Amino acid sequence: MLLINCPYCGEREQEEFSCGGEAHIVRPKNPPELSDDQWADYLFLRQNIKGLQYERWNHSFGCRQWFNVARNTATDEILAIYPIGTKPPKIDSNDPITPCGEPQIGSGNFSTSKK
Amino acid sequence: MIKKPKKYSVFSLVRNALSYHENWQPAWRNPEIKKNYDAIIVGGGGHGLTTAYYLAKNHGVRNIAVVEKGWIGGGNTGRNTTIIRSNYLWDQSAALYEHALKLWEGMSQELNYNVMFSQRGVMNVAHNLHDVRELKRRWNANRLNDIDCDWLNTEQVKKFCPVINTSQNIRYPVLGATLQRRAGTARHDAVAWGYARGADAMGVDIIQNCEVTAINVNNGNVTGIETTKGTINSKKIGVVSAGHSSVIAKMAGIKLPLESRPLQALVSEPVKPVIDTVVMSNTIHAYVSQSDKGELVIGAGTDGYNSYTQRGGFNIVEDTIMAIVELFPIFSRMKMLRHWGGIVDICPDASPIISKTHINGLYFNCGWGTGGFKATPGSGWVFAHTIANDQPHKLNAPFSINRFSSGELVDEHGAAAVAH
């Protein structure tokens, strides 16, 4: 289980939070002019990154505030927490060396050799 | 020249027993990688191997490589809870999963490999009025699609599965259930091994411990892949890489509507036969069956966030166990023996993508989410057709990636046996 450091309440278990998915997806400014493919991109297509991902979280069973989290999805390490509406911080996230490969720590997956 | 594997039979068993089982030949070769193939399948799980098998068998394409990052049977094929059923709500899904179920029924004979397919029935339990209405709707939809399904009331549920708690005083009492009698379970890794052996016998090269690092595209046509074992060329590449589909797609500049999440399962210590069917409950999120070894096989849920770590939150396991113990008080003192996670790729409409892409020769079979095992043979069947003919089979035409632009989604969230 993840421990998430809510900027308003401090460190709590992940069970208290809800993940709001990929962050920094901007709602299109000109909806009537959008093509079907552009709508699909906004509504459905996601980066689904293995490695550093910027995402939104809500402390739904706490202060109910939204905030952004930078997390390595290959290790579940939480690397930064920053306010909604600010730019994502630049972080060296120790991503897997090969795209599908496993990181040095914490993947729980030993089906491939660690690079 | 491919050496045909020896047929398994009672005679081969006796013959090998006499030589202390020291002379069994490997079920598939460990081949040299060729420079060029007619088709490459990325991902040696059940779906990838069935794709290769049916490409060779139904379409005569035999110069195929199946490239697998780990080992055969080590991914989600060996991590699921082995449930097979076809009682889906929508016509499109019902047709696809029913096609798969029919292939399951003849699989052991076809492959000459015992996949231990056991049609022990799958019960989907209702706990409130909404469940009853929803499951009865599904029951009727199944009957209209010629899929066997019965409705059981509480007494009939108790009779069919005596260990279930039908007390009406629990928080979520059993009000009834649908029962698909042709549904059941199978030995999951035997499915991978059986198809690997069958494909190998037709000349398919199964390459293990070989990770794809790039997809080569030239002028909108796919030309091959880069792997940790070098470049392999082919004009047709089928990607069947489950949880890592988005990662592979990114290599070709494609964005998919997928979210990869850990899905957990656990098994108990082995006990004598106690439950001879599969019980699933959407409302309280529990599903359980008993393996031939005697372990209870229990499926938990997905985590609420994306992750590629093959483990999930402990709270998810706790929720499932609470539900199981309420529904089956007899299990309350059993010890759980093993527990693991697998990465599943979930589509927004909980239906798979079996589709061409805008790159010629590049095909994706992904998005099976939490319920791909049951579809293993059917998925390979239609994906092989899609790759061989460069157009979808009529069963997978509704599962094109274009549905996210057209809006023609196949929303199976409600009809999935348990919500994830």
Side-chain angles (χ1 to χ4, degrees):
Chain A
M1 186 180 291
L2 309 181
L3 282 175
I4 299 173
N5 195 0
C6 171
Y8 309 97
C9 309
E11 205 165 70
R12 302 290 180 88
E13 288 183 356
Q14 176 263 316
E15 228 179 334
E16 292 187 14
F17 298 83
S18 312
C19 184
E22 192 180 321
H24 308 296
I25 296 174
V26 182
R27 187 179 166 81
K29 287 208 175 84
N30 47 350
E33 291 152 35
L34 249 49
S35 70
D36 289 349
D37 286 340
Q38 284 166 320
W39 270 120
D41 187 65
Y42 170 66
L43 290 172
F44 299 122
L45 304 192
R46 296 292 177 261
Q47 296 186 61
N48 196 19
I49 292 164
K50 182 170 189 172
L52 176 62
Q53 166 162 293
Y54 298 101
E55 57 196 14
R56 299 173 303 172
W57 283 81
N58 178 246
H59 195 181
S60 44
F61 294 97
C63 62
R64 300 173 65 192
Q65 296 290 316
W66 283 93
F67 53 93
N68 287 323
V69 171
R71 182 172 59 95
N72 185 341
T73 61
T75 60
D76 278 345
E77 284 171 291
I78 291 174
L79 302 160
I81 290 179
Y82 57 100
I84 288 282
T86 56
K87 287 204 166 127
K90 289 214 160 46
I91 296 167
D92 177 20
S93 60
N94 196 18
D95 285 350
I97 292 166
T98 54
C100 299
E102 301 308 325
Q104 293 294 335
I105 54 160
S107 84
N109 176 12
F110 302 105
S111 65
T112 50
S113 57
K114 294 180 180 184
K115 302 285 177 338
Chain B
M1 187 62 207
I2 311 302
K3 202 173 142 200
K4 219 172 158 49
K6 289 193 182 118
K7 199 168 172 342
Y8 295 148
S9 67
V10 66
F11 303 108
S12 74
L13 191 63
V14 171
R15 200 165 48 241
N16 282 284
L18 292 173
S19 58
Y20 302 97
H21 295 294
E22 284 171 357
N23 296 319
W24 288 106
Q25 55 174 232
W28 58 86
R29 296 162 295 134
N30 195 9
E32 288 286 311
I33 304 173
K34 290 184 249 173
K35 272 249 138 312
N36 295 288
Y37 286 95
D38 294 339
I40 297 173
I41 307 300
V42 178
H47 291 231
L49 291 165
T50 51
T51 303
Y53 179 86
Y54 290 117
L55 263 174
K57 181 162 181 260
N58 296 353
H59 305 283
V61 185
R62 302 207 162 184
N63 187 24
I64 305 173
V66 177
V67 182
E68 164 58 40
K69 171 176 87 150
W71 70 87
I72 299 299
N76 287 356
T77 307
R79 287 168 188 268
N80 59 76
T81 47
T82 79
I83 297 162
I84 296 156
R85 60 186 178 89
S86 64
N87 56 351
Y88 276 70
L89 178 65
W90 300 113
D91 296 350
Q92 301 93 320
S93 328
L96 182 61
Y97 290 103
E98 179 61 16
H99 179 63
L101 182 53
K102 288 194 173 125
L103 291 169
W104 278 108
E105 287 173 331
M107 189 186 290
S108 290
Q109 280 72 25
E110 157 138 17
L111 296 177
N112 178 230
Y113 202 100
N114 187 4
V115 298
M116 293 160 75
F117 180 47
S118 156
Q119 290 175 297
R120 57 183 68 183
V122 168
M123 250 186 355
N124 290 99
V125 183
H127 299 280
N128 53 44
L129 188 60
H130 173 75
D131 280 3
V132 171
R133 285 177 180 155
E134 204 47 55
L135 285 175
K136 281 192 173 171
R137 180 189 179 202
R138 178 135 62 104
W139 166 42
N140 286 315
N142 291 162
R143 298 298 286 256
L144 288 171
N145 277 319
D146 223 6
I147 290 169
D148 73 301
C149 186
D150 291 322
W151 174 260
L152 307 184
N153 62 28
T154 309
E155 291 73 44
Q156 289 166 320
V157 168
K158 184 74 180 169
K159 202 170 163 212
F160 190 73
C161 179
V163 289
I164 201 166
N165 179 9
T166 50
S167 160
Q168 296 301 297
N169 296 326
I170 58 176
R171 175 67 183 85
Y172 295 102
V174 174
L175 299 184
T178 59
L179 171 63
Q180 187 181 18
R181 293 178 199 273
R182 285 164 60 237
T185 61
R187 171 75 196 269
H188 49 190
D189 29 24
V191 178
W193 298 333
Y195 273 103
R197 176 169 172 263
D200 178 84
M202 289 186 283
V204 173
D205 284 355
I206 295 166
I207 300 154
Q208 302 179 74
N209 298 311
C210 180
E211 183 190 327
V212 174
T213 53
I215 292 179
N216 299 330
V217 179
N218 188 7
N219 281 334
N221 299 301
V222 81
T223 58
I225 52 172
E226 300 294 329
T227 74
T228 47
K229 293 188 175 179
T231 308
I232 314 177
N233 298 317
S234 178
K235 291 195 171 100
K236 290 192 175 204
I237 294 171
V239 180
V240 205
S241 55
H244 281 79
S245 295
S246 296
V247 180
I248 305 275
K250 195 179 166 194
M251 297 173 191
I254 295 173
K255 222 165 133 188
L256 293 171
L258 299 176
E259 309 250 24
S260 293
R261 296 185 168 181
L263 173 64
Q264 297 176 84
L266 53 162
V267 296
S268 72
E269 56 191 332
V271 289
K272 288 195 172 176
V274 60
I275 177 168
D276 63 354
T277 185
V278 182
V279 177
M280 315 186 83
S281 165
N282 191 340
T283 298
I284 58 172
H285 200 119
Y287 43 110
V288 62
S289 63
Q290 190 173 18
S291 73
D292 289 10
K293 271 191 283 185
E295 303 156 325
L296 295 179
V297 182
I298 295 169
T302 50
D303 282 290
Y305 51 88
N306 292 7
S307 175
Y308 287 85
T309 64
Q310 285 179 323
R311 54 166 188 219
F314 194 69
N315 55 321
I316 304 282
V317 177
E318 195 179 7
D319 287 349
T320 293
I321 292 299
M322 285 196 294
I324 293 281
V325 169
E326 186 179 63
L327 208 50
F328 299 97
I330 190 177
F331 298 155
S332 64
R333 277 160 294 163
M334 286 188 71
K335 293 182 174 66
M336 292 299 143
L337 205 62
R338 286 177 286 127
H339 151 242
W340 64 92
I343 304 304
V344 295
D345 45 331
I346 302 176
C347 259
D349 58 355
S351 284
I353 297 167
I354 315 166
S355 180
K356 295 167 66 171
T357 62
H358 68 265
I359 297 170
N360 287 329
L362 184 62
Y363 308 87
F364 269 86
N365 183 354
C366 58
W368 288 94
T370 57
F373 177 70
K374 66 178 83 67
T376 302
S379 158
W381 182 287
V382 297
F383 195 46
H385 184 281
T386 308
I387 294 174
N389 299 304
D390 195 37
Q391 58 183 9
H393 188 277
K394 70 176 190 308
L395 289 175
N396 69 313
F399 298 100
S400 159
I401 192 158
N402 294 331
R403 73 176 187 268
F404 296 98
S405 298
S406 71
E408 209 177 342
L409 304 183
V410 187
D411 184 2
E412 283 290 355
H413 270 294
V418 291
H420 287 284

